[in-house]
Amino acid sequence: MFSHIIVGARDLERMTAFYAAVLAPLGLVRDFTYEDTGAAGATWIVPGKPWQQFFVQLPFNGLPATWGNGTQVSFAAPTPAAAAAAWQAAIDQGGRDEGAPGLRPHYGPDYYAAYCRDPEGNKLCFVHTAELARWGITAD
């Protein structure tokens, strides 16, 4: 559905450290291929899959990064425990709780999710459900 997602950063060093800790439980790794392709930033991918990509970077236009009201980036987790670990890493790294890990049966019988905001206010979701795997959407 998407090729890449970019989240702007005001404090790139802090945001890179935040996402390094948060995305590790989901099996995502830093990809240094895109270091010199534009604005400074950091990239994560699923090992062995160059697409889809998640970027944190300084905005290309030089203006301060802002969060989007109503915008959410949702990451597939291989297990409920991985979703919970990513959420906990986010909280430990200065993220703000927007919904603790747990089942959300109003979305589906096995829909397990956790919600938070990164240090700059971007809303994140970490989700596990068998429905994602049936459609080929996996964290690995």
Side-chain angles (χ1 to χ4, degrees):
M1 177 178 287
F2 65 87
S3 64
H4 60 284
I5 294 174
I6 299 172
V7 173
R10 292 184 304 271
D11 182 341
L12 185 57
E13 186 176 329
R14 180 177 185 199
M15 291 286 276
T16 299
F18 174 86
Y19 281 102
V22 169
L23 299 178
L26 304 178
L28 301 176
V29 298
R30 281 285 305 275
D31 180 13
F32 295 93
T33 306
Y34 301 96
E35 289 253 324
D36 297 322
T37 59
T43 310
W44 286 265
I45 61 170
V46 173
K49 296 181 180 179
W51 296 93
Q52 302 161 316
Q53 306 158 352
F54 178 75
F55 290 84
V56 173
Q57 69 185 53
L58 301 174
F60 275 81
N61 64 7
L63 297 174
T66 59
W67 55 269
N69 186 25
T71 301
Q72 174 178 288
V73 178
S74 300
F75 293 95
T79 64
W87 177 87
Q88 188 61 59
I91 301 307
D92 293 346
Q93 293 291 317
R96 208 172 57 245
D97 179 14
E98 288 279 326
L103 285 172
R104 306 300 200 275
H106 53 286
Y107 293 133
D110 71 337
Y111 193 98
Y112 186 94
Y115 302 86
C116 67
R117 297 227 177 230
D118 73 16
E120 295 192 7
N122 299 294
K123 190 170 183 184
L124 307 175
C125 172
F126 310 105
V127 63
H128 175 79
T129 177
E131 184 71 17
L132 290 175
R134 281 196 288 276
W135 289 97
I137 302 168
T138 63
D140 54 12

